[in-house]
Structure formats: structure tokens, C-alpha cells
Amino acid sequence: MPLTLLAFVFVLGVLIFVHELGHFLAAKATGIGVPRFSIGFGPATPLTFRRGGTEYRIAWIPLGGYVKMASKEEQEAMAALEGGDLDEEYPADKLFENKPLGARILVISAGVIMNVVFAWLVYTGITAIYGRSEDPTTTFAGVDEEILPDAAGQLAGLPFGTQIVGINGDTMSSLNAIGDAVLDLTSDRLRIDFAGDLDPVILDIPGTDANDRIGVWSALVPLWQPKVGSVLPGKPAARAGIERDDHILRIEGDTIRSWHEMVDLIQPNAGREIEVAVARGDSVLVFLVEVEAESERDLASGEMREVGKIGIGAPTIEPRRVRYGPVASVVEGARLTIDDAGKVLFTLKGMIFGQISPRELGGPIFIGQVSGQFAAAGFQPLLIFMAFLSVNLAILNLLPIPVLDGGHLVFLTIEGIRGKPLSLAVRMRLTQVGLFVLLGIMVLALTNDVLRVFGG
């Protein structure tokens, strides 16, 4: 719990700071007065000080932050959330609303830009220092035909042990490369070449058809050996005596050739005792294992289902380390940032059009839990999670909801088209509506968090 709390404070604090720093620096650069820079909303904590005409504070409601700019407009709508009105007077040339339209657009956009730049710098730095770990697997045990899209029907019945050697003319040397090629938004089709005498398969699925592309990638079953990578304490496998690095040979007399074949045989046996034969060193051992029932989401239907599990983890694949030079690291950092943006946009689109349940929305508790898990895995995984969350924050802030940056940009766009801004009264009413919408989203996210914690 202490690690989870510390990770949550670190992750959210850094990302909020980065976002608001963008607004702050842009405001200062364009000559706008900045009376307050706050991490959090509402009343100030004792961690408050003043320097250079700006009050820097940490506030009590840790669900965001703000840069309060000198303005005679829109003070009333945000006063409660931003800790009350300010008495300080600013000259007309320091007021936000008196700056040119381009300067105001820059100031409002700067937070999003900083979040994207932060993610890009993190990915660039990690790539330059650590390189990239790749799963060298290019051989597949087949495809999961239940989730295979109709448009990819040619892949049905893919023989066990098939190796993918090329996609769209590019040589495939890792599972990572195959995933990148299948999910490439810029390609207009997929030509998949196989080793041996199998004919190529051409799928007329454009990269913009994210549902079918993700379906193809999810349906491909990599050929991982049925070797136990980890054993969860107290679970059926541990109680029966199965150990890490045991190679599973047979389940209920059926020969096991791959990890996924083993999973397919275990899942339907929830609540039953099964016979598991493993190779350990030069010996073959047989165990009776009571399969536990667990709930998980079905990839085909999206609904929760009950499956059997025995508490073992997949084998650890020895990664291949790919090194990058300075220029290649910058390019790879940009590619990873763009990939993250694509994932966020796909999820957002799914929620808007009802393809993804709003129950999947996570709030601060969920972010805290995930932050703790990544922190426990190490600083590098935590940084990668922060980069992804930073891209997430950037895109969500561009939603056209008043209060968010996207809502302000809509106001400025309308002003640019009309030649004059919307009336202050209209903007205040829309801002108040946006505030209620944002609070509703927060309540939904928090409700989802509580339901996850208590198993709802």
C-alpha cells in the first residue's frame, strides 16, 4: 500500500505539473499575468509560497491542476474550484482576453503539447539507454477462430507451427515487428508471407479499420512452449507441487505442444480435478490438480465468463535486445508516442460509439493501483506507464468540453470565425455545463474503481 500511494502521488504529480507548466511557460512568454500556479483544486495546503508575482500552491483536491491567468472574465465560473477570487489588479496588456488570438491559442494548447513532448522524451531516453526488448517468436500455433474477423477468414485453419516471414514486403524477425505491421494505420492491406510452401495471404483490411486489424492480431496464437514461467503461491498448481520451469507434457492424457493448447484444455475444467504430467529434469512427474473457477472477459463477446485456472504464468521468453543510436532513438520515441495516441483514440472512439463499455473507464484509484504495479516492476516500466498516461491526458484534454483545454480551443475557434468572442454570459453557462459533465465523468470513473476493488 505505501508503494502504491507513493507511486500514485509521483505519477499524477509529475504529469499534472508537466501539463500546467506548459500553460505557465506559454503565458509568461506571451506576457500574460499569472497570479497562481496550482497542483490540485480547491483550498491551498500549507505547501504554498509566492515568488515573482505568482502564488505556487498544492491544493487539497488532487484531481488535476490549473494555471490561473490574469483576466477580468470567467472568474466567477471557476472561483470555487480554483480556490476563490483574486484581489490583485493587472494592467490591460497583461490580461488573457486582450492578447492576440494566436497567442491565446498557443497558451491553451501548451499543456497538451508539453504532455506529448514529455512522453516523446521519455520514450526517446528509454530507447537510447535501454534499447528495445523484442520477443523473437515468429512461429504460431494457429489462430483463434472465435475472434478472427470475417475479413480475415483466409487465416482460418492456419497450420500448427506456421512461421510468418514477411508482412507487406517487410521481413519479420520478432513478435513485436509482426504486431507493429498488423496494427500499422498507414497500410491499405495486409500481405502475409509464410515460410515453406504455404501461399501468401492477402487481407483487404485497411489500417484505418482498427477493429479488424486488432482482431487479426488478437487471433494470432504465438507458439510458446508449455513451460511454467511462474507459480502463484496458494493456487492449485502450487498446492499440487508443480514448480517453475516444469515442462507440461500432457493434461488428462492429451499431449501438449504449446502454452495455448494447455490453456485451452484447462479453461473448460473449472471445479474439476485434472491429471497433469510434467517433465522436470530427467524425470516425468504426474500431479492431480484441482482447477479453480475465475471470471474474465471473453475476447469474442466482451462479456464476463467463468474459466478454469490453476495459477501458473506463461514462460519467460528470452528477449532480444535491439540497440538504437541517437537519431534512431528520437524516431523510435516519436513512433511509440504516436502508437500510444492511436490506442487512446481507438478506446475513446469505442466508448463514444458503444463498442467499449463505460465500465472500462478508470479513475484515480485505478491509476494508483496500476502505478503501484508498475513501480513494483521497476523504474523503467513506471516511466513507460507515465509516458502512456501523459499521451492519454493530452488527448482527453482536447475533448471539446468547456473547462478542458479542448473546450477553450472551441471558444477561440468560434471567435476566429465570427471575428468576435461569444458573450461572457454564454461562455460562463457553457463552462458550468462542462464542469458538471466533467464531474459526472469523474463520478463514473470513481464508481468503476470502487466496483473493481470490491469485485463488482
Side-chain angles (χ1 to χ4, degrees):
M1 183 60 73
L3 178 63
T4 296
L5 184 60
L6 286 174
F8 171 72
V9 171
F10 175 72
V11 168
L12 215 57
V14 169
L15 295 186
I16 292 170
F17 174 77
V18 166
H19 182 88
E20 300 307 333
L21 182 64
H23 293 308
F24 177 80
L25 294 176
K28 288 288 190 180
T30 53
I32 297 171
V34 182
R36 182 178 296 153
F37 183 116
S38 178
I39 304 299
F41 293 111
T45 69
L47 298 173
T48 301
F49 66 93
R50 178 175 289 275
R51 179 174 296 172
T54 300
E55 177 192 78
Y56 299 88
R57 63 157 62 169
I58 295 178
W60 284 111
I61 306 174
L63 297 177
Y66 63 92
V67 171
K68 194 173 188 71
M69 298 179 209
S71 172
K72 290 186 177 179
E73 300 182 348
E74 303 181 29
Q75 295 294 328
E76 183 180 335
M78 299 299 294
L81 202 60
E82 294 185 349
D85 290 320
L86 293 171
D87 297 328
E88 188 174 355
E89 291 289 332
Y90 284 83
D93 66 337
K94 292 284 186 180
L95 300 181
F96 175 82
E97 59 267 24
N98 291 340
K99 293 296 179 180
L101 182 63
R104 284 179 282 152
I105 289 175
L106 173 63
V107 171
I108 295 301
S109 304
V112 167
I113 293 170
M114 279 291 281
N115 278 124
V116 173
V117 169
F118 173 80
W120 171 60
L121 290 175
V122 167
Y123 281 133
T124 297
I126 288 175
T127 301
I129 296 170
Y130 300 102
R132 182 186 186 192
S133 293
E134 292 187 339
D135 181 340
T137 304
T138 57
T139 304
F140 293 82
V143 296
D144 185 341
E145 296 185 15
E146 288 188 10
I147 61 175
L148 186 69
D150 293 338
Q154 292 166 269
L155 288 175
L158 195 71
F160 181 90
T162 297
Q163 182 183 12
I164 294 178
V165 296
I167 295 181
N168 292 340
D170 294 327
T171 300
M172 297 292 107
S173 59
S174 69
L175 195 61
N176 307 68
I178 293 171
D180 291 343
V182 171
L183 300 176
D184 180 10
L185 295 172
T186 64
S187 58
D188 57 2
R189 65 172 189 171
L190 285 174
R191 177 194 165 102
I192 305 176
D193 294 294
F194 307 102
D197 56 2
L198 281 178
D199 293 331
V201 166
I202 298 177
L203 306 177
D204 291 319
I205 305 174
T208 52
D209 189 343
N211 286 329
D212 279 356
R213 285 295 187 99
I214 290 174
V216 171
W217 175 234
S218 301
L220 288 169
V221 180
L223 180 50
W224 291 331
Q225 294 300 311
K227 190 175 182 180
V228 179
S230 61
V231 182
L232 298 179
K235 292 295 185 178
R239 295 197 301 265
I242 293 176
E243 298 179 359
R244 181 179 177 180
D245 293 332
D246 282 352
H247 190 106
I248 297 179
L249 302 174
R250 292 181 301 278
I251 292 180
E252 292 290 280
D254 290 330
T255 300
I256 303 299
R257 299 177 297 173
S258 72
W259 176 264
H260 289 85
E261 279 188 348
M262 179 205 69
V263 172
D264 289 343
L265 283 173
I266 292 174
Q267 284 190 343
N269 286 297
R272 293 185 57 233
E273 190 176 64
I274 60 173
E275 184 180 88
V276 180
V278 307
R280 183 182 300 167
D282 296 329
S283 304
V284 174
L285 307 175
V286 178
F287 301 96
L288 292 177
V289 183
E290 185 72 33
V291 182
E292 283 186 353
E294 293 188 16
S295 294
E296 71 173 23
R297 193 168 301 281
D298 185 86
L299 290 176
S301 65
E303 298 178 354
M304 298 303 292
R305 61 171 183 167
E306 187 178 83
V307 298
K309 294 190 177 183
I310 62 173
I312 59 176
T316 302
I317 308 297
E318 187 64 34
R320 180 171 56 232
R321 184 72 65 180
V322 179
R323 296 293 180 182
Y324 292 85
V327 175
S329 296
V330 170
V331 174
E332 180 67 5
R335 186 191 70 79
L336 291 170
T337 304
I338 293 169
D339 281 353
D340 280 354
K343 293 171 187 173
V344 175
L345 288 170
F346 173 78
T347 303
L348 193 58
K349 172 192 167 189
M351 287 189 175
I352 291 172
F353 290 99
Q355 299 160 330
I356 297 176
S357 170
R359 286 286 304 274
E360 299 300 321
L361 186 67
I365 297 175
F366 177 72
I367 292 173
Q369 290 173 325
V370 177
S371 298
Q373 292 168 5
F374 277 98
F379 191 57
Q380 182 187 348
L382 182 63
L383 281 177
I384 292 172
F385 173 65
M386 288 176 66
F388 173 73
L389 207 58
S390 191
V391 174
N392 202 309
L393 181 62
I395 291 175
L396 293 182
N397 259 286
L398 285 176
L399 291 175
I401 300 174
V403 177
L404 297 180
D405 296 339
H408 289 296
L409 289 173
V410 169
F411 289 160
L412 294 176
T413 300
I414 293 172
E415 179 181 340
I417 294 171
R418 296 175 74 229
K420 61 179 181 179
L422 293 171
S423 70
L424 179 59
V426 169
R427 279 180 283 153
M428 284 184 61
R429 281 197 296 271
L430 290 174
T431 298
Q432 289 168 342
V433 170
L435 184 58
F436 280 117
V437 170
L438 192 60
L439 288 173
I441 293 172
M442 287 182 175
V443 169
L444 174 61
L446 282 167
T447 301
N448 290 343
D449 287 354
V450 171
L451 290 174
R452 285 190 191 97
V453 170
F454 292 101

